[in-house]
Amino acid sequence: MITLTEVIEVERPVEACFRYVSDFRTTVEWDATAVAASKLSPGPVGKGSHFSVLCKAGPTKLALDYCITESTPWQSVVLEGTSRFFTVKDVITFEALGDDQTRITYIAEFRARYGLGLLERNAAAGLQKMGRASLRGLAKALTDRNPTPSASAETEQKDSNLATALACFTRYGHRRGRRQWLPMSSDMTGKHVLLTGANAGLGFSTAVSLLEAGATLTVVIRDPGKLDSMQQAFEAETGRQADRVELADLSLMHDVNTLCQKLLDQGEAIDVLINNAGALFNDYAETQEGLERSAALLLLSPWRLTEQLRPLLRCSAAPARVINVVSGGMYTQKLHCDDLIMSENDYDGTVAYARAKRALTVLTEHWAQQWAGDNIVVNSMHPGWADTPGVQNALPGFRRVTKKVLRTPDEGADTVIWLARATEADQLTGKLFLDREPRTTHLRARTRENEGERGRLPEWLSDTYDALALDAEG
Ligand SMILES: NC(=O)c1ccc[n+]([C@@H]2O[C@H](COP(=O)([O-])OP(=O)(O)OC[C@H]3O[C@@H](n4cnc5c(N)ncnc54)[C@H](OP(=O)(O)O)[C@@H]3O)[C@@H](O)[C@H]2O)c1
């Protein structure tokens, strides 16, 4: 048997350390050898949780299956791991040294399988070195002081060419981006997040992750028939349900206004607002308020929601974060305010969708500038191409062709989660992100809007709203 013992002290509360370390998916962020990690069992992290961790082992990779065999919150966790060649028992204890300081003692006992005693003796020095490097990594991850996000030179190079930029939208883009990611150990306990479109696709993945991170979650969905199954799915995945569920058809400004009034009356500060709900409509239709529905749902709705909730965003203790989910489709379109509402005669769903997302990207930049003094950061992100119910329903042909390279919903949602959670993600405002890096908002010179159109957009939104057939209460 080889035993490694390492001790680190970090300036974080014991609860945050315990939660971060117990969730062995985080090993990719700090373990010197881990290259991938996933949770195999549903439910909250605790006794009985299973993880798969893929580690570098010389020229090859080795899969380890871990199980939490003992867990005493805030005090200790024991994980037992099995691989082809050895078993390992990790005993991790946590000791609060003050409100914000914790000592972590990590003891790992390796046992070779199949009588590989000689290998065990030879491996000792390598394991000791790896153990020390991993605990240094853990201390750094828990210190949670990452630099201001910036695009790497390689990413800028990729974005300078249309083909390589589009390749970044695929799962391989996510894989490439992931190699550069820094640890995300921040805790969201006490943070109030408002998330639209949480019952499916990217919104569902986002909700699960934010519940796991401890956020207080208010979700907005439109279909009461989906409420119970959504909450059951949250509970099964995380052991928690969304704290509040609001019902609203966000393509109707009447519903948006009612929702905002309710939230304003409640008066609870919003730390993070995620404008995620969306859909691509292949057929032309107008809402009952008389507005083409792509423009209504994808543009007027997040505009109206965000503007009205500004007082609650201002109440956030830390900089409040607004995250607008846009789309790579917007790279095909230039902002012309007069073209944002397509008529029935010339309607093309993908164009209407892309124009609305382009306008929301410009609006993100506008808000970022206007609201800088309010301690509100506003960013947009696009998820690349992810295999969600939305893509399955609206773009079946595209999905058939691209199925093998589509991202999972979790991969597509990653940057939303990072923008909501990562400590360093509030250091930039008015940016468009993909895979946790700020990216260009134009892949072609011909889509660059002029200052006049940019300046006109807020007024166009107000005028369009004022022209709607809202009833007296709307
Ligand atoms: N998946 C991608 O590859 C991709 C790429 C670029 C951008 N996006 C953007 O990512 C966001 C999420 O898309 P997704 O792919 O996850 O789509 P999705 O699977 O269809 O999920 C969309 C969510 O929005 C909700 N929603 C739709 N219309 C609504 C309305 N009128 N009122 C309230 N909620 C409404 C849906 O509720 P219901 O279940 O009731 O319909 C659902 O919860 C969208 O803004 C989309 O434009 C996605």
Side-chain angles (χ1 to χ4, degrees), residues 16-278:
C17 295
F18 178 87
R19 267 196 290 263
Y20 182 72
V21 178
S22 299
D23 185 343
F24 243 39
R25 282 173 293 187
T26 63
T27 50
V28 280
E29 298 184 347
W30 54 267
D31 185 290
T33 60
V35 289
S38 54
K39 183 148 102 24
L40 302 176
S41 51
V45 171
K47 189 173 175 186
S49 292
H50 277 267
F51 302 92
S52 168
V53 180
L54 191 65
C55 292
K56 279 184 289 190
T60 176
K61 292 198 178 86
L62 194 63
L64 280 119
D65 278 341
Y66 277 96
C67 178
I68 297 182
T69 54
E70 290 171 43
S71 175
T72 310
W74 326 143
Q75 289 178 26
S76 65
V77 61
V78 179
L79 292 112
E80 294 190 17
T82 314
S83 77
R84 260 188 303 158
F85 303 118
F86 61 85
T87 60
V88 58
K89 182 174 177 182
D90 291 353
V91 180
I92 311 161
T93 49
F94 303 83
E95 190 188 341
L97 302 176
D99 282 352
D100 279 332
Q101 204 177 2
T102 303
R103 178 180 297 138
I104 301 174
T105 305
Y106 203 119
I107 301 172
E109 296 171 350
F110 292 87
R111 281 192 177 77
R113 302 177 78 187
Y114 315 119
L116 297 173
L118 182 63
L119 189 66
E120 198 176 84
R121 277 194 295 280
N122 288 343
L127 283 176
Q128 296 283 359
K129 198 169 153 204
M130 178 273 291
R132 272 194 298 276
S134 295
L135 267 286
R136 272 199 307 274
L138 181 57
K140 192 163 175 248
L142 283 167
T143 301
D144 194 27
R145 261 183 236 121
N146 293 330
T148 303
S150 62
S152 70
E154 188 201 344
T155 295
E156 281 178 353
Q157 176 71 29
K158 295 223 178 275
D159 279 358
S160 67
N161 172 293
L162 191 60
T164 50
L166 291 180
C168 289
F169 292 15
T170 67
R171 60 196 289 195
Y172 300 106
H174 173 267
R175 219 171 270 181
R176 182 191 74 87
R178 202 173 59 186
R179 290 201 294 266
Q180 312 299 326
W181 292 351
L182 297 168
M184 182 164 59
S185 67
S186 50
D187 201 318
M188 293 197 75
T189 307
K191 300 264 182 201
H192 179 211
V193 181
L194 181 71
L195 166 67
T196 66
N199 62 284
L202 307 181
F204 181 80
S205 290
T206 303
V208 165
S209 188
L210 297 181
L211 286 169
E212 286 178 332
T216 301
L217 189 62
T218 300
V219 300
V220 185
I221 64 170
R222 65 169 159 173
D223 184 350
K226 294 180 180 170
L227 195 160
D228 287 346
S229 58
M230 177 191 71
Q231 290 284 45
Q232 281 161 17
F234 289 158
E235 175 98 43
E237 291 278 341
T238 71
R240 292 185 57 199
Q241 300 195 350
D243 299 87
R244 280 181 288 282
V245 181
E246 300 294 346
L247 296 172
D249 179 340
L250 293 171
S251 66
L252 298 176
M253 297 315 114
H254 172 273
D255 279 22
V256 174
N257 293 346
T258 307
L259 168 68
C260 289
Q261 197 51 57
K262 188 173 174 193
L263 293 167
L264 288 165
D265 288 347
Q266 285 167 354
E268 186 179 358
I270 295 175
D271 299 295
V272 184
L273 165 61
I274 306 174
N275 286 312
N276 164 74

Side-chain angles (χ1 to χ4, degrees), residues 416-432:
V416 183
I417 296 155
W418 175 82
L419 280 167
R421 183 177 166 193
T423 304
E424 68 275 19
D426 67 8
Q427 290 171 20
L428 292 177
T429 187
K431 302 289 179 202
L432 166 72

Side-chain angles (χ1 to χ4, degrees), residues 283-321:
D283 299 321
Y284 180 89
E286 291 177 8
T287 67
Q288 63 201 58
E289 293 168 347
L291 185 60
E292 186 281 303
R293 57 184 171 164
S294 312
L297 176 63
L298 301 170
L299 181 56
L300 220 67
S301 169
W303 167 72
R304 193 78 196 136
L305 189 75
T306 310
E307 287 277 354
Q308 288 187 91
L309 295 180
R310 186 175 174 190
L312 297 181
L313 291 162
R314 272 201 195 120
C315 293
S316 172
R321 305 174 184 204

